[in-house]
Amino acid sequence: MKVRPVDLVDVFVYLVVLGAFTQLFPEVISESFLLALLTAILLKLVLEVVLLIKKRIVTRIRGARSPWIRVVNVAALLLVLPGSKFLVLELVDAVFGDAVYLGGFFQVTALIIVLMLARGGVRRIFDTPSRDL
């Protein structure tokens, strides 16, 4: 497995967003910068897997020939969406214990939404061709 430059940029974006959340929301706690960095790396890994699973389910929904197959895949997607937030909470708790706390379900949901928006925004900035003036 190779680390691409975009993966490092994602981790730094996640670190900045996580740092902002620890400053703005008292429920989100990271005891040190190193723990915040390790949490950002963990979030990167987990969210990449979750995005891969979501993409595969959406592909199966679009390619389904039977309405029942489509319904089953939509149900699977509806389970994965909130389930991924619980997965993040449990993994962070298992790996870091009380040193890192991301709040409850709603704080983690907001955190993940902001992470994805920030990630998308930064990727758009880098994908935009620069023009020399």
Side-chain angles (χ1 to χ4, degrees):
M1 188 169 181
K2 193 173 182 181
V3 177
R4 303 168 299 163
V6 72
D7 296 325
L8 292 175
V9 171
D10 286 347
V11 169
F12 291 136
V13 168
Y14 289 7
L15 180 61
V16 169
V17 171
L18 186 58
F21 266 67
T22 58
Q23 292 294 312
L24 297 173
F25 302 104
E27 301 89 15
V28 180
I29 299 167
S30 181
E31 290 186 1
S32 69
F33 175 79
L34 181 59
L35 285 172
L37 178 60
L38 293 173
T39 304
I41 293 169
L42 179 68
L43 287 170
K44 169 68 177 164
L45 294 172
V46 171
L47 293 177
E48 285 298 321
V49 170
V50 169
L51 285 173
L52 180 69
I53 292 169
K54 287 179 185 177
K55 285 180 184 179
R56 286 186 179 176
I57 293 173
V58 169
T59 301
R60 281 193 263 155
I61 290 171
R62 290 182 179 153
R65 293 184 179 158
S66 164
W68 290 109
I69 294 173
R70 183 170 287 164
V71 167
V72 168
N73 284 310
V74 167
L77 185 62
L78 291 175
L79 289 174
V80 167
L81 291 174
S84 63
K85 284 40 166 207
F86 289 116
L87 175 67
V88 167
L89 283 171
E90 290 302 317
L91 277 176
V92 167
D93 185 45
V95 173
F96 302 112
D98 292 336
V100 176
Y101 183 67
L102 297 180
F105 179 80
F106 295 109
Q107 288 89 5
V108 169
T109 301
L111 176 65
I112 291 173
I113 289 170
V114 173
L115 288 173
M116 293 292 106
L117 289 173
R119 169 187 164 157
V122 169
R123 285 183 176 196
R124 263 202 192 99
I125 290 170
F126 284 133
D127 284 342
T128 304
S130 61
R131 296 181 182 168
D132 295 330
L133 298 175

